Amino acid sequence: MEGVTDSGLATLPASDRPDVAARLRTALLGSSFTADGLLDLLGAPAYAALARSETVPALRATRGDTPLETLVRLFLLQQPVPHARVAGVLPVDDLLDSGWLTRAGGDEVAATVDVRPYGGPDGEDWFIVSDLGCAVGGAGGIGRRHEEVVLGVGGASTTLAGITVRTPVAAALDLGTGSGIQALHAAQHATRVTAIDVNPRALHITALTLALSGAPAADLREGSLFEPVKEGETFDLIVSNPPFVISPGARLTYRDGGMSGDDLCRSLVQQAGERLNEGGFAQFLANWQHVAGEDWQDRVRSWVPRGCDAWIVQREVQDVNQYAELWLRDSGDHREDPAEYQARYDAWLDEFEARKVKGVGFGWITLRKTGAAVPSVTVEEWPHPIEQPLGETIRAHFDRLDYLRDHDDADLLESHFRLAVEVVQEQVGLPGAEDPEHVVLRQHRGMRRATKVDTVGAGFAGVCDGTLSAGRILDAIAQLTGEDPVLLRDRTPAQIRLLVEQGFLEPAV
């Protein structure tokens, strides 16, 4: 069939025609085919419906013949559009010649890929390319997935983009690049970007995403995990939204790692340390098994390579039934033969039962290469709301680790601190009571932590404005409360250390 590969997927546009991609980008922007433009055209309800794979509201909102409506029908809703109508908006002959469009019978043309506007962190107008019907929440919905299909941007992609540390770097690596969203972000602050994927189709689509977004080309390499990385080659930043799904077999390239259990995520984390430059970050999304009789924190902590600090956050845990159902629905198996669906479900549960897996955790792992003699590894469960982007929060976490490593208790008492600007104090107690039962410090940014403090801790934090040293503040508190200042100085550094570690207090440098 014309326009279809041997594998049954649509033939992709040529990736070696940057001139055509540039003209297409200009035309898209000229018609306000942007994230803001779509919201204005469709309205919030129809825009939100697209994320639920519901296209009827968007179809109703694009019944006119404006350039933007034409582009939405063509690239988002994947509807054939009359050639003459498209020619008034796009360089249609160039796009047909280079494969962005194909003839759909009669006088109509159709898109060969999904092109979706995506707003960059600083207001950039980017475009994410993916296979037809495979933008997450896209026009085709979530149906049975082809083995080599390339998905668009979903919640996992945006989560990783949001937690990534965005300091300028020389070399960045996007491992398992998919549609290229992480490589696109990295291109804004990395001199050189390398993108790796085992699926050659993903590398092709990444090249299209970068070109259509006006970003520099990346060094694209085919292969599994770190195999395509050259001997001795290292990076300042490694990011990966890998095929982390724990499944029986490797049916779908975009999600199934093909290794036993959570071995793919373990291998990825363990091998990252030797690929990082000093001070460099490696950041991953991952799944890990909760095995009967085993502490999940110990399991994931054992993955951390030598010479790296780590911060591991578990955001969610699903029991094995929920987990199997989630990914069977992702691939559309629930819409197919009921007997086949049941067989696949059974196979998933058999696999978990054989490994004594009771649940599966999802979260993120951040490594930072350090020269410290004793690296710090923090593993925690945090299912509570957070505020994205978290990249700066994560970078500051590791900076504070360095500070605390370099300052013993005596140093802390000589240091000056400031209360973080987003922190408020809450007093909890019965109405009318003379004193609160306890005092809570609460963050309204970043991780949005809350921690109980005693009256000394609350008083100390409230006075911290960078003016006085911690020791002098404690001496003043001792004078007010009648406590022994020596004992107060002796017992308080542990509380100061915790408040600094969790970001309630910041060193006043």
Side-chain angles (χ1 to χ4, degrees):
M1 182 183 300
E2 183 179 357
V4 177
T5 67
D6 292 341
S7 62
L9 293 170
T11 302
L12 293 174
S15 60
D16 59 352
R17 293 290 306 275
D19 57 323
V20 176
R23 287 198 292 276
L24 175 56
R25 172 176 172 80
T26 298
L28 296 177
L29 294 177
S31 298
S32 297
F33 188 68
T34 63
D36 290 340
L38 290 186
L39 184 59
D40 290 341
L41 171 68
L42 302 178
Y47 194 76
L50 278 179
R52 301 191 301 270
S53 302
E54 296 292 347
T55 61
V56 172
L59 286 167
R60 291 175 61 84
T62 55
R63 288 177 291 188
D65 59 359
T66 67
L68 181 54
E69 288 169 298
T70 297
L71 294 175
V72 171
R73 285 201 163 236
L74 188 65
F75 288 118
L76 262 68
L77 302 177
Q78 281 122 46
Q79 302 292 307
V81 179
H83 182 285
R85 183 174 166 185
V86 176
V89 184
L90 300 174
V92 66
D93 291 336
D94 284 343
L95 296 177
L96 284 167
D97 180 60
S98 59
W100 287 94
L101 300 178
T102 187
R103 298 191 183 277
D107 63 347
E108 292 185 319
V109 297
T112 58
V113 287
D114 183 294
V115 176
R116 195 148 300 236
Y118 178 87
D122 296 316
E124 301 94 342
D125 288 315
W126 293 339
F127 300 97
I128 308 301
V129 180
S130 63
D131 272 311
L132 293 173
C134 292
V136 176
I142 296 180
R144 178 172 289 277
R145 304 293 198 190
H146 188 280
E147 178 184 354
E148 297 176 357
V149 77
V150 179
L151 296 174
V153 176
S157 302
T158 55
T159 293
L160 179 59
I163 69 172
T164 300
V165 176
R166 297 295 175 194
T167 53
V169 295
L173 171 64
D174 176 14
L175 203 158
T177 188
S179 63
I181 178 60
Q182 309 305 330
L184 179 56
H185 275 279
Q188 311 310 303
H189 62 103
T191 303
R192 175 172 57 87
V193 177
T194 301
I196 290 175
D197 205 292
V198 71
N199 182 2
R201 190 174 181 86
L203 297 175
H204 191 138
I205 284 182
T206 290
L208 299 176
T209 289
L210 294 173
L212 195 56
S213 298
D219 177 4
L220 304 176
R221 305 181 192 176
E222 181 181 347
S224 177
L225 300 181
F226 289 101
E227 288 176 2
V229 175
K230 302 169 187 175
E231 184 176 355
E233 187 177 18
T234 54
F235 302 88
D236 305 296
L237 174 67
I238 299 172
V239 292
S240 183
N241 176 16
F244 54 67
V245 176
I246 300 170
S247 60
R251 186 160 59 108
L252 301 174
T253 304
Y254 74 89
R255 72 168 200 196
D256 301 325
M259 294 187 183
S260 176
D262 51 18
D263 281 355
L264 182 136
C265 291
R266 175 186 57 78
S267 298
L268 184 61
V269 174
Q270 288 180 337
Q271 294 174 24
E274 63 183 356
R275 303 298 184 183
L276 278 177
N277 292 323
E278 190 73 18
F281 286 91
Q283 299 185 263
F284 315 99
L285 300 185
N287 275 175
W288 42 78
Q289 298 174 148
H290 284 231
V291 179
E294 179 182 284
D295 186 328
W296 73 267
Q297 294 194 2
D298 290 342
R299 181 183 190 85
V300 185
R301 186 179 285 108
S302 71
W303 296 358
V304 178
R306 295 181 61 183
C308 288
D309 289 330
W311 186 12
I312 301 169
V313 180
Q314 179 169 274
R315 295 288 289 153
E316 181 183 3
V317 182
Q318 291 185 314
D319 66 48
V320 293
N321 298 320
Q322 291 174 309
Y323 190 80
E325 291 163 13
L326 169 67
W327 295 109
L328 286 168
R329 288 179 176 274
D330 169 82
S331 56
D333 289 289
H334 64 299
R335 297 177 176 176
E336 305 298 327
D337 177 26
E340 184 178 347
Y341 173 80
Q342 182 175 339
R344 292 193 186 280
Y345 200 150
D346 270 334
W348 225 302
L349 296 186
D350 285 344
E351 182 84 5
F352 284 136
E353 184 176 344
R355 300 184 178 281
K356 300 182 179 179
V357 176
K358 303 301 182 183
V360 178
F362 167 81
W364 64 68
I365 298 173
T366 299
L367 306 178
R368 197 270 306 263
K369 192 70 171 287
T370 178
V374 182
S376 170
V377 178
T378 301
V379 185
E380 62 178 322
E381 186 166 12
W382 193 256
H384 312 294
I386 60 171
E387 183 184 59
Q388 286 273 39
L390 272 179
E392 180 58 24
T393 298
I394 290 175
R395 185 201 60 77
H397 167 85
F398 288 93
D399 286 348
R400 292 194 301 271
L401 287 183
D402 287 341
Y403 178 87
L404 292 172
R405 258 196 299 250
D406 293 340
H407 291 73
D408 60 20
D409 287 355
D411 293 329
L412 288 183
L413 293 174
E414 294 298 320
S415 299
H416 296 237
F417 299 96
R418 289 193 183 93
L419 187 68
V421 294
E422 74 277 6
V423 175
V424 298
Q425 177 179 301
E426 299 174 358
Q427 295 186 356
V428 181
L430 295 174
E434 184 175 347
D435 296 312
E437 292 180 21
H438 57 265
V439 178
V440 174
L441 298 181
R442 186 179 301 278
Q443 301 169 350
H444 283 276
R445 301 288 298 276
M447 293 294 287
R448 294 180 174 174
R449 296 187 187 276
T451 187
K452 289 183 182 180
V453 291
D454 58 21
T455 54
V456 171
F460 179 86
V463 176
C464 283
D465 61 2
T467 304
L468 299 175
S469 69
R472 289 188 63 187
I473 294 174
L474 291 177
D475 289 343
I477 292 174
Q479 188 173 7
L480 288 172
T481 61
E483 289 199 50
D484 184 328
V486 175
L487 293 178
L488 193 59
R489 278 174 168 258
D490 185 57
R491 69 178 173 85
T492 306
Q495 190 171 11
I496 296 174
R497 194 171 290 276
L498 180 63
L499 292 175
V500 172
E501 180 180 346
Q502 295 190 343
F504 291 95
L505 293 178
E506 300 172 346
V509 179

